[in-house]
Amino acid sequence: MLILVLNGVSLVRNLDSLKTSNTKQAQADRVSSRLQYVNLLVTDADSGLRGYFLSGSDTYLGPLRTAERELDGQFATLKDLLADNPSQLKNLAQLQTLVRRRIGLMNEALGVYRHGGLDDIVAISRAQEDQVRMDEIRLQVVVMTGEQNELLAARSAAFYDQYRRTALLGVGINFAAIAVLVLFYNLIRRGFRLRLAAERALQHSNDHLETLVADRTEQLSVLSRHLISLSEEEKAHLARELHDEMGANLTAIGMVLSSVGEQLKDSHPEHAAALGCARATLHETLQLKRRIIEDLRPSLLDNMGLAAALQSYCEDFARATRLDCEALVEGEADSAGPMQAIALFRIAQEALNNAAKYAQARHVVVHLAREGGGLALEVSDDGVGIPPDAMRRPKSHGLLGMRERALLLGGTLKVERGVNGVGTSVQAWVPVPAMEIGAETLPNQEQAQEEMREKLSAPAADAPMALGGGAPVMRVPRPSADGHTRF
């Protein structure tokens, strides 16, 4: 900015100098023109007077009258133009004296001619004084014109020198501006390089952090899937232990209590009544054992397959929550392996539990079908819907658990609003290896399902008639401590 200001000041000064020089030059031209005009007036007056002497016509006296009328004004103008030049003012005074003397002599000659005649004029002319007077006037004009030209030349030389210095200063300022621009460019380039290096370092750091976060996330996902798998294995193992060991023990206790009660029924009826209360408590314990086993590992899932387990669970869920729950199973769904079956069952369980707790729905549909080399499960309701960021919330444990179960088997899970933005749709897909069901497999499976139906319709094997009832035991759904519907 300072360089630009200096350049502007220099330009203004240069323009002022140029203006002054032009003014001086114009003034010098006007002075020269006025001097030449004064000389012309005197010369014309002298020539006109001579013509008058020769012809006697007053017409030739016009230049003399013009000179007398205009000379004073011309000298006044010259005095103004030469006000700043004392030497030229002195020359102007001398010129004015000579001109006035010459005009006076012309008027005297005119008077002599009119009174004496041409002979007296000829006598005066022979003295050659008139010629000398005219030469003095011309010489004075030449001197003043020469001095004016010298002054103009000196001023032009001074202006040229000043202009050259100004031009050199402008060139120097331009070089300085170029140097500043080059320095500024280098600074900008260096700053750009530094910023680019910083951005690259930041990008490298971000990439490293993203890789680290991805690794940690993958590790946590693997750990979560492992814990889910381990939890299901432990639940299955515990369910088998309860069914085999505790079931056998409770059955044995029931048989003993029944036998002793029969023996004491006649001799000690009060003891038989106490044993009856013990059998009732044992019956409740058996029911509790069944509910715990069903909660740990649904027996229908292992014995009759995923389709039957989902249908039964939907019926029990509808009775417990008074919601309209419909199960739709398309195609062969029981070809899924144990891991796929329990994963889809748990996802349906959690989705139905969320619908009962949060959705405020009236109708829920569970749809299971074969799709693209796997099983596709969709649980949809007509409730209030789900927020778009529900899967990203840290406390959405149920949704995260469903997603991890699907990812554990290489599948996917998507939670979104239902059709036309109404309700919620939970869509899970897990791959299932291609399995061919042969002719021998189907009869065996049908036989196992038939045996399971007979087992459910008959009195419980581990709660015989001796426990006080031939009626079948009904599984009643109830809410557990964690909010799930248990049977």
Side-chain angles (χ1 to χ4, degrees):
M1 291 179 63
L2 179 60
I3 290 174
L4 293 177
V5 169
L6 291 176
N7 195 16
V9 171
S10 175
L11 178 61
V12 171
R13 292 185 59 186
N14 190 20
L15 291 176
D16 291 339
S17 299
L18 180 61
K19 182 178 179 181
T20 303
S21 178
N22 290 333
T23 302
K24 296 294 184 181
Q25 185 175 2
Q27 181 180 352
D29 291 339
R30 291 177 62 189
V31 169
S32 299
S33 298
R34 296 290 178 176
L35 290 173
Q36 296 297 331
Y37 186 62
V38 168
N39 186 35
L40 179 62
L41 287 176
V42 175
T43 303
D44 288 345
D46 185 67
S47 298
L49 185 60
R50 292 178 185 277
Y52 174 75
F53 289 158
L54 294 176
S55 63
S57 176
D58 291 339
T59 306
Y60 289 98
L61 294 178
L64 177 61
R65 304 304 175 212
T66 302
E68 290 177 347
R69 188 174 56 252
E70 293 186 5
L71 281 175
D72 291 337
Q74 295 297 326
F75 281 114
T77 303
L78 287 171
K79 187 178 294 186
D80 293 335
L81 294 174
L82 299 174
D84 59 343
N85 193 338
S87 63
Q88 285 288 76
L89 286 176
K90 183 183 292 187
N91 293 331
L92 180 62
Q94 294 177 2
L95 177 62
Q96 187 175 7
T97 302
L98 292 174
V99 170
R100 285 177 178 176
R101 185 180 301 173
R102 177 58 183 163
I103 295 298
L105 291 175
M106 288 182 184
N107 288 324
E108 291 178 2
L110 181 61
V112 171
Y113 173 78
R114 286 178 177 176
H115 290 89
L118 185 58
D119 296 333
D120 294 332
I121 296 301
V122 172
I124 294 173
S125 301
R126 287 176 179 176
Q128 296 186 353
E129 184 178 356
D130 291 344
Q131 188 66 31
V132 173
R133 299 289 183 183
M134 288 300 298
D135 291 340
E136 288 179 355
I137 293 174
R138 293 189 186 94
L139 179 60
Q140 192 65 26
V141 170
V142 170
V143 170
M144 292 186 66
T145 304
E147 289 186 2
Q148 196 66 27
N149 291 333
E150 290 177 359
L151 179 61
L152 180 61
R155 289 177 177 176
S156 299
F159 171 75
Y160 175 76
D161 292 339
Q162 183 177 358
Y163 182 79
R164 186 168 58 86
R165 289 194 298 268
T166 303
L168 292 176
L169 179 61
V171 172
I173 290 175
N174 290 335
F175 276 117
I178 292 173
V180 170
L181 289 177
V182 171
L183 178 62
F184 180 72
Y185 171 75
N186 290 332
L187 291 176
I188 292 295
R189 186 177 181 183
R190 180 181 179 186
F192 178 76
R193 288 179 177 177
L194 292 176
R195 186 178 66 179
L196 184 60
E199 290 178 354
R200 288 178 178 175
L202 182 61
Q203 183 65 33
H204 179 72
S205 177
N206 290 338
D207 294 341
H208 177 70
L209 290 176
E210 290 178 0
T211 303
L212 184 62
V213 170
D215 293 341
R216 294 292 185 269
T217 304
E218 181 65 22
Q219 293 175 1
L220 291 176
S221 299
V222 171
L223 178 60
S224 174
R225 298 165 196 169
H226 174 70
L227 292 177
I228 292 175
S229 177
L230 186 61
S231 174
E232 291 297 334
E233 292 177 1
E234 290 295 331
K235 287 179 180 179
H237 176 72
L238 183 58
R240 286 193 300 268
E241 291 292 330
L242 288 175
H243 182 271
D244 296 339
E245 301 295 334
M246 183 179 288
N249 292 336
L250 292 178
T251 300
I253 293 173
M255 294 175 65
V256 172
L257 290 177
S258 179
S259 176
V260 174
E262 289 294 331
Q263 295 176 5
L264 298 179
K265 181 172 61 175
D266 296 331
S267 60
H268 298 84
E270 66 279 4
H271 295 302
L275 289 176
C277 293
R279 287 198 302 272
T281 303
L282 180 62
H283 182 269
E284 293 178 357
T285 304
L286 285 170
Q287 296 297 330
L288 176 62
K289 186 263 298 182
R290 286 196 182 106
R291 287 196 298 269
I292 293 174
I293 290 176
E294 289 298 322
D295 185 29
L296 293 174
R297 185 77 176 186
S299 58
L300 280 175
L301 187 65
D302 294 330
N303 294 286
M304 299 187 67
L306 178 59
L310 285 177
Q311 291 173 350
S312 176
Y313 185 81
C314 287
E315 294 173 0
D316 296 337
F317 175 80
R319 287 194 298 269
T321 60
R322 300 183 183 276
L323 295 177
D324 183 12
C325 184
E326 182 181 2
L328 301 177
V329 180
E330 298 180 5
E332 181 57 47
D334 291 331
S335 60
M339 293 298 296
Q340 289 83 5
I342 189 61
L344 292 173
F345 183 82
R346 295 298 187 196
I347 291 174
Q349 235 182 356
E350 184 65 30
L352 289 174
N353 179 58
N354 290 337
K357 290 172 61 178
Y358 309 114
Q360 303 177 13
R362 291 177 298 177
H363 184 74
V364 185
V365 177
V366 179
H367 181 223
L368 180 67
R370 297 280 300 193
E371 182 180 309
L375 288 176
L377 173 70
E378 181 179 2
V379 181
S380 57
D381 60 66
D382 58 354
V384 297
I386 188 171
D389 59 342
M391 289 292 290
R392 296 191 295 271
R393 294 180 179 178
K395 294 185 179 181
S396 300
H397 302 124
L399 297 177
L400 296 176
M402 289 191 291
R403 184 182 66 180
E404 292 300 322
R405 286 182 183 275
L407 293 177
L408 175 64
L409 301 174
T412 58
L413 182 98
K414 183 169 61 175
V415 181
E416 60 186 9
R417 287 188 175 271
V419 179
N420 297 326
V422 178
T424 304
S425 175
V426 179
Q427 303 172 16
W429 179 86
V430 294
V432 175
M435 298 178 61
E436 294 183 359
I437 304 176
E440 299 179 356
T441 305
L442 290 175
N444 294 334
Q445 185 176 4
E446 293 177 357
Q447 182 180 0
Q449 292 179 356
E450 184 64 27
E451 292 177 356
M452 189 62 189
R453 294 191 188 96
E454 293 177 357
K455 181 179 179 181
L456 291 176
S457 62
D462 50 359
M465 295 285 294
L467 291 180
V473 178
M474 295 296 295
R475 294 189 295 113
V476 181
R478 65 179 182 85
S480 61
D482 58 357
H484 294 280
T485 303
R486 309 303 185 193
F487 303 90

